[in-house]
Amino acid sequence: MSRHDLNALSKVVLHDHLDGGLRPATVVELASSFDYPGLPADSSAALERWFHQAGATSLEAYLDAFTHTFGVMQDPEAMRRVAFEAIVDLAADGVVYAEIRFAPSLHTARGMTRSDAITGVLQGLSEAEAVTGVPGRVIIDALRQRDDSEAVAAAAAEFAGRGVVGIDLAGPEAGHPAHDHRNALAMAREAGLRVTIHAGEGDGVESIADALACGAERIGHGVRIIEDTTVRDGRIVSMGAVAGEIHERRIPLELCPTSNLDTGIYASPAEHPFGLLYRAGFAVTLNTDNRLMSATTMSREFALVSEFCGINRDDLHAITRTAAGSAFCTDTERASLLERVEVGYR
């Protein structure tokens, strides 16, 4: 399939970080308006090259680049602008529905409240939907390494049913187990929010098991579930207890292949287990994670798995339907979304 053909296909993205998808020119302009010091480059072209984190030595090193994106997103107008541009850019790539996530606690350095940050993002998403027709919804990130997850959950709960659809735990997995944040997750569920948890990216199968025990309905990344399987002759022939539960319950995996390559989980695209997991019947979805840091788009993710993981057009159709079926939206919204997906595969 050509890049043009891939661009025309309908796409659903469930795992896209707001502060990982800024336009480089927007970073430069916001830094100027905020009098933000210390950008590693002055021009948008040079900054784009710097932000591309291919070859990062670890997840933690990859995450360091975010200092400069959330550093310039410190008032409601900046939040609105970045959210608006995110949906416009995704829509241009064939995305018909997007769940955008961010951690409001990272945007309070200049006095903005978590609620103000969320309000700004929701305004930007609403304005972008009016222009593009693409619904954008919000997942609020609490950070594993911080002790404010209950305050984050309370802020998210204010907007349940008003564009905020879920809560997530993000940040470094090692040494920061999901179960430390059980109370926050319970608060979010009581407010009607859905739960996805980053797991099986920086840490292995134990992190995924911990996320399941905390009520995760989807697993952010989850790629290291492959370590709980036996692969023989290019296919999964048996599964351990955690992989078996993920498989049997059809827990969606928010897979992000390019990001996994950039953080060094896999050395080459051919090593990525996306195709193995898909062909074994796991509920895999395909996502961008961080469009700026990984220099990617949904079309590029489609191209990567098509070229290296044995995925064809019919498979992409099925994977996109799985993503639509896994979205944190109402049944009515899902029916409309599935119709829009089908249009892109006729």
Side-chain angles (χ1 to χ4, degrees), residues 161-322:
R162 295 193 286 146
V164 173
V165 295
I167 193 167
D168 175 31
L169 292 177
E173 294 172 55
H176 305 286
H179 62 251
D180 285 351
H181 304 277
R182 282 183 183 273
N183 288 345
L185 296 170
M187 288 171 58
R189 276 194 297 269
E190 284 182 22
L193 297 177
R194 311 288 294 279
V195 177
T196 180
I197 297 177
H198 276 70
E201 180 191 20
D203 269 5
V205 176
E206 298 81 5
S207 178
I208 299 172
D210 188 31
L212 291 176
C214 291
E217 301 171 67
R218 299 190 328 225
I219 302 295
H221 291 279
V223 68
R224 292 182 63 183
I225 196 66
I226 195 69
E227 297 168 12
D228 197 37
T229 72
T230 300
V231 177
R232 188 177 299 129
D233 297 327
R235 66 187 184 93
I236 293 172
V237 296
S238 66
M239 304 177 195
V242 179
E245 181 178 357
I246 293 283
H247 186 273
E248 181 179 356
R249 293 177 54 198
R250 296 280 296 169
I251 301 291
L253 300 173
E254 302 164 0
L255 297 179
C256 309
T258 299
S259 176
N260 298 156
L261 294 168
D262 288 347
T263 56
I265 300 175
Y266 301 101
S268 70
E271 295 178 19
H272 198 281
F274 186 95
L276 284 170
L277 294 167
Y278 169 71
R279 285 184 286 275
F282 285 86
V284 301
T285 67
L286 190 56
N287 302 277
T288 47
D289 198 19
N290 300 294
R291 287 171 287 115
L292 175 60
M293 284 69 176
S294 286
T296 195
T297 63
M298 282 294 288
S299 290
R300 288 174 183 162
E301 299 298 324
F302 274 29
L304 185 147
V305 299
S306 297
E307 182 175 358
F308 295 102
C309 301
I311 299 298
N312 61 33
R313 187 180 188 278
D314 289 341
D315 297 327
L316 292 171
H317 189 184
I319 290 161
T320 304
R321 285 199 305 264
T322 295

Side-chain angles (χ1 to χ4, degrees), residues 101-185:
R101 62 187 71 195
F102 77 103
S105 292
L106 297 177
H107 302 276
T108 59
R110 298 197 178 199
M112 180 167 58
T113 67
R114 297 182 184 92
S115 296
D116 289 341
I118 296 170
T119 297
V121 169
L122 290 174
Q123 182 182 351
L125 297 181
S126 177
E127 292 174 2
E129 183 174 357
V131 171
T132 65
V134 174
R137 302 294 180 259
V138 175
I139 294 173
I140 295 298
D141 283 327
L143 297 171
R144 287 171 174 264
Q145 71 272 30
R146 296 176 62 136
D147 61 4
D148 64 348
S149 58
E150 291 185 25
V152 173
E158 293 178 36
F159 298 90
R162 295 193 286 146
V164 173
V165 295
I167 193 167
D168 175 31
L169 292 177
E173 294 172 55
H176 305 286
H179 62 251
D180 285 351
H181 304 277
R182 282 183 183 273
N183 288 345
L185 296 170

